[in-house]
Every structure is written in structure tokens, then in C-alpha cells.
Amino acid sequence: MVVLPLTTLALALLSSAFGQSDLFGDDKLDKIVPWDSLTGPVNPPHSQWPAGDGLSYSDLKDILSTTPNPDKAKEWSQFYTAGPHLAGQNLSQAVWTRDRWEEFGVKSEVVPYEVYINYPLDHRLALLKDGEVSFEATLEEDVLEEDPTSGLKDRVPTFHGYSASGNVTAQYVYCNFGTYTDFENLVAAGIELKGKIALVRYGSVFRGLKVKRAQELGMVGTIIYSDPGDDGLVTEVNGYKPYPEGPARNPSSVQRGSVQYLSQFPGDPTTPGYASKPGVPRKPANASTPSIPSLPISYAEAIPLLQALNGHGPNASSFPARWHKGGLEHKNVSYNIGPSPPSVTINLMNLQNYTITPIWNTIGIINGSLSDEVIVLGNHRDAWIAGGAGDPNSGSAALNEVIRSFGVALSKGWKPQRTIVFASWDGEEYGLVGSTEWVEDYLPWLKDSAVAYLNVDVGTRGTRFNANAAPLLNQAIYEVTKSIKSPNQTVEGSTVYDLWDKHIGTMGSGSDFTAFQDFAGIPSADFGFGKTGPLDPIYHYHSNYDSYAWMVKYGDPTFQYHVTAAKVWSLLAASLSEKAVVPFNATDYASSLERYLDSVKHMANSSGMSYRDKEEQDVSMFVDLDLAIEYLQRTAHSFDAHAAGLAAQATVAEGKHNPAATNRLFAEIRAVNTQYKMLERAFLFPKGLDGRSWFKHVVFAPGKWTGYAGDTYPGLVEAIQAGDKKALYRWAGIIEGVVWRAAGVIS
Ligand SMILES: *[C@@H]1O[C@H](CO)[C@@H](O)[C@H](O)[C@H]1NC(C)=O
Ligand SMILES: *[C@@H]1O[C@H](CO)[C@@H](O)[C@H](O)[C@H]1NC(C)=O
Ligand SMILES: *[C@@H]1O[C@H](CO)[C@@H](O)[C@H](O)[C@H]1NC(C)=O
Ligand SMILES: *[C@@H]1O[C@H](CO)[C@@H](O)[C@H](O)[C@H]1NC(C)=O
Ligand SMILES: *[C@@H]1O[C@H](CO)[C@@H](O)[C@H](O)[C@H]1NC(C)=O
Ligand SMILES: *[C@@H]1O[C@H](CO)[C@@H](O)[C@H](O)[C@H]1NC(C)=O
Ligand SMILES: *[C@@H]1O[C@H](CO)[C@@H](O)[C@H](O)[C@H]1NC(C)=O
Ligand SMILES: *[C@@H]1O[C@H](CO)[C@@H](O)[C@H](O)[C@H]1NC(C)=O
Ligand SMILES: *[C@@H]1O[C@H](CO)[C@@H](O)[C@H](O)[C@H]1NC(C)=O
Ligand SMILES: *[C@@H]1O[C@H](CO)[C@@H](O)[C@H](O)[C@H]1NC(C)=O
Ligand SMILES: [Zn+2]
């Protein structure tokens, strides 16, 4: 049996959380329906429950599938990508977004937080030979006539979010992707790292973790460049012209980005676990940000640095597998590791203005009949550059179309069954700041009320649908994508589902779902149209060339994929908000848990920490966990069947007038929905993961040393990686307890 104890502390937190926004109303506390009250009769929320107020579900779906319009999406894309909108630097876009949403008929406001953040003041990168400058980097991307925002006077310099100020001159070492293993390989080969600058290429792991490891090994700076060898087939070597003439990478393009330690905790580095409001106490930022300077550079400007390593130290091909050479051999780069000789050094200077400044989320809300069941939709608005036509504003354009569509339904008298909240986040790029602070701010309410969070970051940069989600949402995603026509009608009648590989990835990190999924235990999804294959035009991620001009020429010239992303989003939201029984599937969760455990067992086995104890013969450290998961599977199966039965009864009840029967059915459905709602929350472990306690979910977290990619059962995975058998037993026990608790929620 699930209980929702509203402790005095929770109540205090709750009232302070609601004090500052009139969107949610002052009487919000009254709206929270504790579990116990669900056992008594509850009146159906709709006048014609379960048909819905004002519009039938099928009329709503018609509106959501026919309203989004490519010309509108194009107009929104053009607006957001017309000028700089770095976190905390463009209030007018937040206000404009609020004004549009209000025009569409959705009550909205700008919600600020005061966060610790950096803006670039100055930088320098020079190669010195015998003290003389032999190469001075411009640290600029080329201004292209064909791409107007690449030449704006106030364009954003190339820099790293949360990078440290510093001015170092030192020898340097080529460190491949700068993964944990790459650095281990360097140490094993006896390469001197202390006091040196790391020259690493982008890719494989989150950039902040490259800097973190370099710093831990005593290195004094990090330079990260984009190697065309990681661009697949569409490269200059293969005869493709670079952007803007052709689809290959422009050699001057630079990937900006955050070097926060994303897998440690996201959000404002000085307020872990609580909201960054004016006057709150702040902690030192060094727990999640580097203290050595770093800069991102283009491959054009990496070439002289790499060439100067030719002949010095071992070459990359003589190192283990992941050290394959990059794509610059035709430029006389032999990928030697170095270190550079003492006479060859780099001067790396990075000057950042660290400040505490407001950022602005725009939040819209449509009150549903059930105020304690809430669906949240979010996309970030801030970008590293003036453009951002892919990341994130293809998602922003789609979100505006989603809200405009719901607005049309509202104008026809529709009221959703569940409350729907829309968010345009600021500060995502620095470290998911706007969404993390908001979740931390509204945590008690969200933990009580949130049913699901649906994130779209890069809504469109190609034609292939991709999705990551909590397993509870898998079936809902399949069902909705089956109902939406793809813009690709090579085979007539193809739906989004038909042209998709049907793979739903696990939740890692790297976008705004992180605080919802990993901190608050709210089942989340993240989707969009992305890379199709090795012959795609190169997407200039976090570069000036992720622009409107690129989008119109290569990304989505007709804006049909923007529109399709909007439809997937709104129809998924509608399915979650309108169906009498929340369309979750607990069986999928349980079977995913089994699958994830299989992969952990293999990992334990192949790392020599066999899950069969030698002394104990048949006794495995996962035996009890296996049993718990089996039990959860059986429980989930019968719970889903019960839920499906109620859903069928709700359909039959539709249009019939039998208040007594309807009331009873409604009460039963409320109970089931509350159980579904609380299931994901059961996977939170209050003490959090070892050494990174902000992360509370025992099943999903970003990999400690990968950042973007998700680890499943991070406690187990880290114990195995550390060779710590005691920790492995401890985490198997913790997870087992959590799985029993989850089974209890749906028993
Ligand atoms: C939503 O409902 C709350 C509580 O009834 C109310 O105070 C608030 O004004 C409503 N918000 C909107 C946008 O209708
Ligand atoms: C804010 O964004 C708008 C719209 O993209 C743009 O026109 C404007 O230049 C930006 N303002 C600032 C201060 O960067
Ligand atoms: C950075 O260090 C170099 C070499 O030590 C020095 O010449 C230069 O003036 C310094 N730059 C700044 C901005 O401090
Ligand atoms: C952060 O800095 C403080 C004070 O300078 C120091 O005591 C602490 O150990 C540092 N923490 C980390 C994680 O580096
Ligand atoms: C290639 O680089 C090496 C080392 O920097 C240099 O000595 C040589 O002249 C270069 N060759 C060409 C063809 O540029
Ligand atoms: C790389 O190093 C290996 C081993 O020292 C050597 O056999 C190989 O020729 C080198 N390759 C290049 C391109 O220098
Ligand atoms: C740093 O930022 C603060 C706050 O935004 C601003 O007032 C100050 O002028 C900036 N400093 C410099 C040197 O630009
Ligand atoms: C369109 O769909 C077909 C399969 O029906 C596929 O082969 C083709 O690659 C798709 N085109 C694009 C641009 O995605
Ligand atoms: C564990 O490893 C051993 C030896 O490598 C292998 O024979 C066995 O099949 C593995 N077991 C599992 C479950 O992976
Ligand atoms: C749940 O998902 C499984 C497939 O994983 C499917 O067989 C089952 O019918 C689904 N149940 C419901 C109620 O959707
Ligand atoms: Zn993004």
C-alpha cells in the first residue's frame, strides 16, 4: 500500500514553494489529495466523465494533428535564431514567448532564478617555439555571407560554460577523446601529464568530464577541438565541400559548450539540491566545475598544434583500440601523443566574468479538472550562439505549435482532465540550470502531482525519429507515433512509427529531463528527429552554423519535421492528460529491470568480479534482487491487466448515464492512476548515489565518466568499475529494497 505522508516539513516546503507564483494559485495545498481520501467516493471531474469537457478526445486529437503549420514553425524558428540568446542575456525572448503563449490562450509567466554563471571577457591561444609565437589562433568562426547570423556584431565568442579563468603556458599532450580510459592509457605508457596542457578531441564523453580528469591528473589546461575524423563519411577528404557550399563541416566551426561536471550534479553549481533564489546561501562552485582553464577550437586551428607534435612521443595508432587516428592525416598530422618538447609550448588564456544573475524560464499552465495529476512539457530556449536553429529552437518552434494547438482546443471549450504545464527553460546549456532550479523549487508539488515530463531539445536536425524514455512510457510512445503520418511518403501512408527503428533508449543526461527523471522520479521522455545515417549533412552542434540558414538549406527546408515533432509531442501529452486510465505500462518497467540486470551481470562477470562467488558456488550476489524483480514482474502484469480492465469499462461507460456506477469506476481509476503516478518515485533512494548524492534514482543516472550516456543501476555499475565487491553487495541490497517498494506501490 502506498502512503503519501505529508510531513510537517513537506507542508512547510510546499507552502513556501507555492508562495511565489500565482500561476498555481494560493489554494494549491487544498488541491493535494492524499492517498486516503481516494478510498471514499469522489465525484468525476468532468461533467461528462470519461468523455472530457467541451470536446471529445477524438475531436481534440483532430485539432492537435491539423493545427501545426510549417509556415508558423518557420516564423518561430526565424524569431528565436535572429539574435544572441545565451542564458540570462535575452529577457525579451522570454517575454515574447510568454506573450505568444498568452495570445494562444494559455496563462503564462516569466519565472526567474538567480544563478551563478560566467560570460566570456577575453581569451588567447598561441603556439610558441623557443618563446616566439609560431601560431596565433583567431578563436573565431568564419563570417559567411550566406549565413547572416555568423556575422552579427554581437555574436557570442567561442568559450566554455563554467570554465575557469586562467593564463597558462606549458608543454602539451594529445589525449585522444580524454575519456577516463584514454587518460589511464597515457598514465600506463608513462607519458608525463602533470603541469601539461591536454589537447583532446570532442566526442565519446561529456566535455566537462574530459576537463575533470585532466585536472585530477595535475594538468593545467584543456583544449578541445572537433576532429573531422568523427564526422562519418561526409568529409572534405571524401570529396564533400564544407558548409555553406556543401554538407561537410566548415573547418572553422567551433563547438562551444559547458564544462560543468554534469554527472556530479546539474543546475547552479552553488546551490545543489535547492532553488537559486535571491539571498539563498551558496556553496563553493568547485564541486561541479573545473579550476583549470579550457577553450574549444576548430579543427583548422588544431592542425598547427597537432602538427607540432609530429615525431614527438608515441603515435596514436600504437595505443589501444580507441586511439584510432583522426581525420587530419592529409593535413600532415601524424597524431603523435607528445608531450611537445620543452621548446614547444602553448599559451592558453581564458578570462571569464563570473557573476550571479537572473535567468528566465517561461512557464504556462492549463488547469485540468484533476489538479493533482500534472503533465509537464519542456524545451530550453537558450543557445550558445545567435542561431540555435537545431539546438534548441527547432524544439522551441515545435513547442509554440503545440501550445497554439492546445489553444485552439481551449477556444472550443475544452478543459483537460489533467493539468498541463509548459516550460521554455533558460540556462540549459550551462548545465540544465533553468529546469533544475525549477524542479528543486517545486519539488514537493511535483513529487505529489507530476505524472510525466516530456522533453524536446533538438526537435529537428534530420529525418530520423529518435526517443529515450522511462519504460513506463514506451507503449504510449509507440501508440502515438503509429497515429502520425511521416513527412516522408516515399512509401505512401508511412507513419512516424513505420520509419522508426523502434528503439527507445534509456534516460542518461544532457538535457532538461535530468532533474525530473533522476532527482524527482518523474517518468520522462526525450525525443526528436535527428541523424539519419553516415551521409547526413554535418550538423554544426553549438557552432555559429547551427543557424536558420543551415536549417533552411540542410536541416528541414520545408519545416515539415518541425510540425511532425509538434504533433508527436502534443498527441503524447493529450494521451497522458486525457485517457481515463494513465497509459502507463508497469510490465515494461519490470522487464526492462530484468534486461538491465542481465547486462550488469555480464559486466560483473567479464570484469572478473563474477557474480557467482567462488566460495559460495551457486550463490550469486544478485539472487535476491532477481527474486524481487520476478515478483515485481508478476505484480506489474496483474496490475496492468487490472488497469486495462478499468480502461475498457471507462470506454463502455462513455455516454451512459449511471452516476453511481460512474462514481465507483472513477474512484477505482483514481486509485490506479495514483499508483501508476507513484511507481517511478519508488525508485528514488533518498541518500542518492555514492559520491554524487544529488542523483536519487537507483536505475537511471548519467554515467559517472560519460555524462550523456545513461548508466542503468549506476550503483552496481560503479561498484563493478571500482572493483569494490562490498559496494556491489550493498547496492544489490539497496536496489532489491527499492524493487520491493515499487511492487508495494502497485500491489
Ligand atoms: C489554476 O488553478 C488554481 C487553483 O484553483 C488557480 O488559483 C489558478 O489561478 C489557476 N490558474 C490558471 C492559469 O487558470
Ligand atoms: C534577443 O533575441 C531577439 C530575437 O531573436 C534578437 O532580435 C535580439 O537581438 C536579442 N537581444 C539581445 C539583447 O541579444
Ligand atoms: C598571460 O601570460 C603571458 C605569459 O606568462 C603574459 O605574457 C600575458 O601578459 C598574460 N596575459 C594576461 C591577460 O594576463
Ligand atoms: C573546493 O574548495 C574548497 C575551498 O577552497 C576546498 O576545501 C574543497 O576541498 C574543494 N572541493 C573540491 C571538490 O575540490
Ligand atoms: C609536416 O609536419 C612536420 C612537423 O611539423 C614538418 O617538419 C614538415 O615540414 C611538414 N610537412 C609538410 C608537407 O607540411
Ligand atoms: C606509429 O608507431 C608505430 C609503432 O612505433 C609505428 O610502427 C608506425 O609506423 C607509426 N605510424 C606512423 C603513422 O607514424
Ligand atoms: C561582469 O558582469 C557583471 C554583472 O553582469 C557586470 O556588472 C560587470 O560589468 C561585468 N564585468 C565586466 C568586466 O565586464
Ligand atoms: C524515407 O523513407 C524511406 C523508406 O520508406 C527511406 O528509405 C528513406 O531513406 C527515407 N528518406 C528520408 C529522407 O528519411
Ligand atoms: C561468465 O564468464 C565465464 C568465463 O568468462 C563464462 O564461461 C560464463 O558464461 C559467463 N557467465 C555469464 C552469465 O555471462
Ligand atoms: C504492456 O506492455 C506489454 C509489452 O511489453 C504488452 O504485452 C501489454 O499488453 C501491455 N499492457 C498494457 C495494459 O498496455
Ligand atoms: Zn540543447
Side-chain angles (χ1 to χ4, degrees), residues 22-28 31 106-108 364-368 371 419:
D22 57 26
L23 267 187
F24 300 102
D26 303 325
D27 56 344
K28 190 74 213 173
K31 297 277 161 192
V106 172
K107 188 91 195 73
S108 306
I365 183 166
I366 309 176
N367 272 336
S371 60
T419 291

Side-chain angles (χ1 to χ4, degrees), residues 717-734:
V717 168
E718 282 158 35
I720 293 166
Q721 281 164 352
D724 185 344
K725 208 159 185 172
K726 226 173 114 190
L728 191 54
Y729 272 105
R730 187 164 55 82
W731 274 101
I734 291 168

Side-chain angles (χ1 to χ4, degrees), residues 136 143 153 163 184 191 225 255 302 351 368 376 389 425 433 497 517 519 554 587 617 657 660-661 680 682 688 690 705:
E136 181 82 46
V143 172
K153 286 237 149 42
S163 68
E184 294 281 277
I191 307 288
Y225 79 101
Q255 181 191 134
L351 190 59
V376 186
W425 309 118
V433 182
Y497 181 83
Q517 178 73 50
F519 181 69
Y554 293 107
T587 307
Q617 298 289 328
H657 193 72
E680 190 84 44
D690 295 339
W705 284 105

Side-chain angles (χ1 to χ4, degrees), residues 189-454:
I191 307 288
E192 172 83 32
L193 299 175
K194 215 170 156 51
K196 310 278 190 298
I197 291 171
L199 174 59
V200 304
R201 64 205 254 196
Y202 269 114
S204 186
V205 299
F206 184 72
R207 66 184 85 65
L209 301 174
K210 302 169 191 255
V211 180
K212 183 174 195 275
R213 195 61 192 146
Q215 177 178 322
E216 286 170 358
L217 292 169
M219 303 188 82
V220 296
T222 310
I223 301 160
I224 315 182
Y225 79 101
S226 310
D227 196 299
D230 301 316
D231 283 345
L233 299 176
V234 182
T235 56
E236 283 190 87
V237 194
N238 286 345
Y240 293 92
K241 287 215 163 6
Y243 180 74
E245 288 78 30
R249 175 179 301 280
N250 183 295
S252 78
S253 80
V254 177
Q255 181 191 134
R256 295 160 189 76
S258 174
V259 290
Q260 186 187 56
Y261 307 157
L262 194 56
S263 57
Q264 213 55 36
F265 63 89
D268 183 328
T270 66
T271 63
Y274 57 96
S276 294
K277 304 229 186 138
V280 294
R282 290 180 185 272
K283 308 201 158 117
N286 60 348
S288 70
T289 62
S291 61
I292 61 170
S294 65
L295 282 176
I297 64 170
S298 66
Y299 82 72
E301 303 217 301
I303 288 170
L305 312 181
L306 290 163
Q307 281 175 344
L309 289 176
N310 286 355
H312 299 287
N315 64 46
S317 5
S318 68
F319 261 50
R322 289 281 294 162
W323 284 75
H324 52 77
K325 288 170 290 196
L328 292 169
E329 281 189 298
H330 66 297
K331 299 282 188 187
N332 188 23
V333 168
S334 63
Y335 291 94
N336 280 89
I337 284 159
S340 64
S343 60
V344 178
T345 58
I346 285 175
N347 173 226
L348 162 60
M349 188 273 283
N350 182 42
L351 190 59
Q352 297 292 326
N353 184 6
Y354 270 94
T355 177
I356 290 174
T357 192
I359 59 168
W360 304 283
N361 296 331
T362 297
I363 306 287
I365 183 166
I366 309 176
N367 272 336
S369 301
L370 298 168
S371 60
D372 66 337
E373 293 181 8
V374 177
I375 316 296
V376 186
L377 281 65
N379 154 263
H380 73 94
R381 189 183 60 250
D382 66 302
W384 282 118
I385 45 187
D391 181 5
N393 302 121
S394 54
S396 319
L399 183 55
N400 284 358
E401 284 306 90
V402 166
I403 298 176
R404 200 169 64 79
S405 306
F406 278 117
V408 171
L410 289 171
S411 74
K412 305 211 160 147
W414 171 70
K415 177 173 188 178
Q417 173 149 237
R418 306 190 172 89
T419 291
I420 306 178
V421 172
F422 302 101
S424 167
W425 309 118
D426 199 359
E428 188 269 357
E429 291 292 6
Y430 278 78
L432 325 176
V433 182
S435 59
T436 301
E437 299 311 313
W438 190 80
V439 170
E440 289 173 347
D441 198 2
Y442 288 97
L443 187 64
W445 173 64
L446 287 169
K447 275 192 166 178
D448 198 75
S449 309
V451 173
Y453 173 67
L454 306 177

